Amino acid sequence: TDLRNIRNFAIVAHIDHGKSTLADRLIQICGGLTEREMKEQVLDSMELERERGITIKAQTVRLTYQAQDGETYILNMIDTPGHVDFSYEVSRSLKACEGSLLLVDASQGVEAQTLANVYLALDHDHEIVPVLNKVDLPAAEPDRIKEQIEEVIGLDATDALEISAKTGRGVSDVLEAIVQRLPPPKGDIKAPLKALLVDSWYDPYLGVVTLVRVMEGTLKSGMKVRMLGTRALHDVTQVGVFRPGKTKADALGPGEIGYVISGIKDIADAKVGDTITEEKRPCEAPLEGFQPSVPVVFCGLFPSDTSQYEELRDSLGKLALNDSSFLFEPEVSPALGFGFRCGFLGLLHLEIVQERLEREFGLDLITTAPSVVYHVYTKNGGMKELHNPTDMPEPTQIDHIEEPWIKATILVPDDFLGPILKLCEERRGEQIDLTYVGDRAMVIYRLPLNEVVFDFYDRLKSVTRGYASFDYQLEGYREGDLVKLTIMVNGEPVDALALVVHRSQAEVRGRALCAKLKELIPRQLFKVAVQASIGGKVIARETVSAMRKDVTAKCYGGDATRKRKLLEKQKEGKKRMRQFGNVEIPQSAFLAALRMD
Ligand code: GDP
Ligand code: MG
């Protein structure tokens, strides 16, 4: 295909602004799907969309479009995930394209992820077409939102399109704008092969499938290719495109996006961001790759039923096949037994993995409080990356501790500004900027990630009744006065409840946690002491008083069934309990460490 007839674009938007709906419409108009298939696709898309978010995979579709100028164009559309945790994923999709559609809900306006994603697109030198969606809604105010786009983002919105992805109104103008306003790709078909490995995933039938964007030269089946980063050699067995089903092609030329199957067995050999070239005629320099994604939040995952350990390991292995940003390693906890310490890109990522394990793999899990990665500098001059509060060295050995800080952007209606500022201040935030966008405030704060991991989203939602949007970027490490808070039950430390907190908050958190645990730990036959301590010094204490507990005592008479049911119910509950010393601690106690009211 002539390069002039190719357009590669991404759709960037805040979550729920209509990206998937628009993508489905474009596929429908370009005849990728019949009316019947379209229905199925739309039906599927709810589940699929979840799946997408979950596998954290951007989707790619090739469309064929007959434009008003009489020419036929190939449009490669990459759908990107909207959430902050996956900006890494967004970034690599953008690298494969020359332009973006910036989709903004005309009733809601610019949100935190609109900004984050459009800035990413601008960083990649994208040409951007602003599109106002949902103009069918009575609450839509396209003119006001256009002003907002100009004011906040600094993009010219005079020619912004006004559409309804739902009713189809204005959608054909989107296709014309893609052709007329976005630039075609550049690239020399005769040059040595140079292709960007955009994504890779594991297919149980085909092995590792990679998504590539060819920059120069041609990629054909039968070719021997080399990965410039890993130096690995592979034989290309098939190339093709998604339309949206997998469709074989003879070759992929410059400017094209498609898939490659090349007998790679291990996903680790298909590193996202790597450059693919031909073995016998290699290109000179590799493409600029991506920053590797680094897990920033860690937590322990343990099976509530210890016999599910092997299953958990297999399931984590399967998930990791398709999600290279997710890490796991075995962990043994005296309190929770055998499990895994897992690393995630953020809290949403954590939740998604946890939900998948429970939903798809039928596992029942106990999750420990998420923790950020601390840099612990010891007196002997070493530095330890702390993934688990339990592994904190003795205070006497520590020189100082550094913690990760983020730059957070929060957009919120003016009415809720007060509570937001209060929340950020409570969380050791430092205000960087406060501006207005119409009746909405845009607040920029520097915050320790540790404070965000600890129920920040929940608090943000509750103090703004869901009207705030939030986005953040990691800024770097800074020294902090941090201590390990140990929780002891009857004098024994419960490793899974250990936390790293700022010294100024240790006492409040310790007290609150003890009080919570007092409520959650069922009464036993003896008194149970719950204590919080720092470096051996007790800072809070509660007592669970003793009680004789016999659930069957009330079942006098001969009602054996009822008695048995009660006992079974109790047994079921036990699975979710953890024996600790001589005390049983319910799973809810471990969750309590995550949330405070
Ligand atoms: P995404 O998160 O950006 O992919 O958003 P979706 O495409 O999943 O859309 C979010 C919600 O907005 C869904 O309930 C859609 O039906 C709805 N929606 C999308 N486009 C429109 C539109 O043009 N008008 C109206 N009224 N609703 C829309
Ligand atoms: Mg979507």
Side-chain angles (χ1 to χ4, degrees):
T1 321
D2 193 326
L3 283 175
R4 278 173 307 181
N5 289 16
I6 299 179
R7 297 291 182 278
N8 298 315
F9 70 99
I11 309 178
V12 295
H14 189 74
I15 196 148
D16 281 345
H17 282 200
K19 219 157 28 84
S20 304
T21 311
L22 177 61
D24 284 345
R25 278 278 163 211
L26 296 177
I27 295 172
Q28 185 189 27
I29 294 179
C30 294
L33 296 170
T34 61
E35 194 67 31
R36 192 180 59 83
E37 284 172 323
M38 184 64 200
K39 281 214 186 79
E40 283 166 7
Q41 163 96 2
V42 171
L43 282 181
D44 276 347
S45 76
M46 274 177 270
E47 270 219 24
L48 238 160
E49 182 55 41
R50 289 178 73 97
E51 236 45 62
R52 272 180 210 171
I54 284 165
T55 47
I56 325 165
K57 291 293 174 205
Q59 302 279 309
T60 307
V61 183
R62 169 186 287 218
L63 309 169
T64 311
Y65 174 58
Q66 185 88 46
Q68 281 165 16
D69 62 8
E71 301 263 331
T72 302
Y73 290 86
I74 286 179
L75 311 179
N76 291 306
M77 169 172 76
I78 300 197
D79 185 9
T80 60
H83 192 274
V84 43
D85 283 7
F86 310 123
S87 59
Y88 168 72
E89 182 83 16
V90 177
S91 198
R92 64 202 204 190
S93 307
L94 295 178
K95 212 153 198 162
C97 304
E98 283 74 33
S100 285
L101 300 180
L102 169 66
L103 198 64
V104 183
D105 182 328
S107 66
Q108 266 197 298
V110 172
E111 294 287 355
Q113 273 118 55
T114 314
L115 287 176
N117 289 325
V118 77
Y119 290 147
L120 281 175
L122 290 167
D123 279 349
H124 287 86
D125 295 324
H126 272 200
E127 197 59 48
I128 292 170
V129 175
V131 179
L132 304 179
N133 189 30
K134 308 200 188 181
V135 292
D136 59 294
L137 290 178
E141 297 179 87
D143 291 332
R144 195 174 66 81
I145 306 304
K146 276 187 207 175
E147 267 173 42
Q148 215 185 48
I149 290 175
E150 300 199 333
E151 225 177 282
V152 189
I153 308 174
L155 272 182
D156 183 1
T158 329
D159 296 324
L161 304 174
E162 297 180 21
I163 71 160
S164 166
K166 191 170 166 187
T167 67
R169 173 174 148 197
V171 174
S172 56
D173 298 338
V174 174
L175 289 161
E176 278 301 310
I178 291 167
V179 166
Q180 286 164 21
R181 290 160 62 180
L182 299 184
K186 296 193 187 84
D188 180 359
I189 195 164
K190 296 195 201 76
L193 173 67
K194 193 183 223 180
L196 177 67
L197 203 165
V198 180
D199 198 1
S200 62
W201 59 93
Y202 185 80
D203 181 302
Y205 301 104
L206 304 168
V208 175
V209 181
T210 57
L211 180 73
V212 301
R213 157 69 200 264
V214 178
M215 300 294 178
E216 312 266 3
T218 312
L219 186 56
K220 290 194 196 78
S221 64
M223 223 177 207
K224 214 177 196 64
V225 292
R226 184 183 292 284
M227 308 286 180
L228 281 182
T230 63
R231 305 299 302 160
L233 276 177
H234 299 287
D235 291 307
V236 175
T237 52
Q238 194 188 118
V239 300
V241 296
F242 296 100
R243 31 169 84 242
K246 233 194 236 100
T247 313
K248 274 188 211 178
D250 295 333
L252 296 173
E256 293 198 276
I257 298 174
Y259 69 86
V260 180
I261 300 166
S262 56
I264 304 177
K265 294 284 181 300
D266 191 347
I267 193 107
D269 292 334
K271 279 219 164 41
V272 166
D274 208 341
T275 304
I276 304 171
T277 191
E278 190 178 3
E279 192 214 359
K280 60 174 199 258
R281 198 164 73 105
C283 60
E284 274 173 14
L287 294 156
E288 189 192 324
F290 306 99
Q291 293 290 331
S293 64
V294 193
V296 291
V297 177
F298 281 76
C299 80
L301 290 181
F302 296 84
S304 26
D305 178 350
T306 49
S307 68
Q308 283 192 326
Y309 176 76
E310 298 291 328
E311 261 175 276
L312 175 58
R313 191 185 54 202
D314 291 349
S315 312
L316 290 171
K318 281 187 192 138
L319 286 186
L321 277 180
N322 279 323
D323 182 355
S324 54
S325 50
F326 157 64
L327 295 184
F328 68 102
E329 61 196 23
E331 176 182 4
V332 187
S333 151
L336 300 176
F338 290 93
F340 297 89
R341 181 117 293 239
C342 305
F344 307 91
L345 297 175
L347 284 179
L348 179 73
H349 191 202
L350 184 162
E351 267 171 39
I352 284 167
V353 169
Q354 190 186 334
E355 191 191 316
R356 269 191 90 175
L357 288 168
E358 301 208 325
R359 220 182 49 175
E360 292 172 35
F361 297 93
L363 294 166
D364 221 7
L365 300 171
I366 296 179
T367 318
T368 63
S371 167
V372 304
V373 178
Y374 295 96
H375 290 172
V376 180
Y377 291 82
T378 46
K379 290 210 167 113
N380 62 21
M383 194 274 273
K384 181 184 161 89
E385 279 195 8
L386 192 76
H387 291 175
N388 187 344
T390 316
D391 302 333
M392 179 78 92
E394 287 303 313
T396 51
Q397 293 172 18
I398 299 172
D399 184 68
H400 68 281
I401 304 175
E402 289 181 358
E403 64 181 328
W405 279 66
I406 59 164
K407 189 169 132 187
T409 306
I410 303 167
L411 269 85
V412 66
D414 194 21
D415 306 349
F416 300 111
L417 181 60
I420 287 287
L421 297 181
K422 184 161 169 278
L423 176 65
C424 291
E425 295 295 329
E426 276 168 15
R427 300 304 171 94
R428 296 192 277 138
E430 295 168 1
Q431 193 176 314
I432 303 174
D433 199 13
L434 170 58
T435 46
Y436 278 87
V437 184
D439 58 350
R440 286 153 57 84
M442 181 163 85
V443 196
I444 301 182
Y445 258 89
R446 227 172 248 129
L447 286 158
L449 182 60
N450 152 313
E451 302 286 342
V452 173
V453 159
F454 176 68
D455 84 349
F456 187 84
Y457 289 110
D458 291 345
R459 301 276 303 135
L460 186 80
K461 261 191 256 160
S462 73
V463 302
T464 63
R465 281 191 253 126
Y467 283 113
S469 60
F470 172 76
D471 189 77
Y472 70 84
Q473 287 159 287
L474 219 47
E475 273 212 323
Y477 275 76
R478 271 214 245 163
E479 186 173 345
D481 190 5
L482 300 158
V483 292
K484 174 177 162 189
L485 185 68
T486 305
I487 299 295
M488 290 181 296
V489 174
N490 270 357
E492 285 190 63
V494 182
D495 62 319
L497 288 173
L499 292 172
V500 175
V501 294
H502 193 259
R503 195 183 298 275
S504 64
Q505 283 164 358
E507 215 170 304
V508 175
R509 289 281 293 278
R511 274 209 215 107
L513 195 49
C514 286
K516 196 79 161 256
L517 289 172
K518 180 188 172 181
E519 280 168 33
L520 293 170
I521 296 178
R523 291 184 173 194
Q524 320 268 327
L525 295 172
F526 42 85
K527 242 174 28 183
V528 177
V530 183
Q531 294 164 302
S533 75
I534 302 172
K537 183 173 162 259
V538 174
I539 55 161
R541 173 190 179 103
E542 294 280 351
T543 309
V544 184
S545 51
M547 192 185 87
R548 174 167 288 277
K549 199 175 176 199
D550 182 355
V551 286
T552 62
K554 281 200 211 103
C555 306
Y556 41 79
D559 194 350
T561 346
R562 191 155 153 229
K563 216 173 217 174
R564 201 175 58 233
K565 265 193 191 145
L566 266 168
L567 285 172
E568 268 168 17
K569 221 168 161 188
Q570 215 184 22
K571 212 166 92 196
E572 188 56 35
K574 271 214 164 71
K575 264 207 320 203
R576 290 234 172 204
M577 302 275 246
R578 275 295 178 268
Q579 187 74 31
F580 202 74
N582 47 11
V583 181
E584 278 187 329
I585 302 179
Q587 156 157 307
S588 51
F590 297 101
L591 293 175
L594 316 186
R595 293 198 170 85
M596 293 280 155
D597 303 314

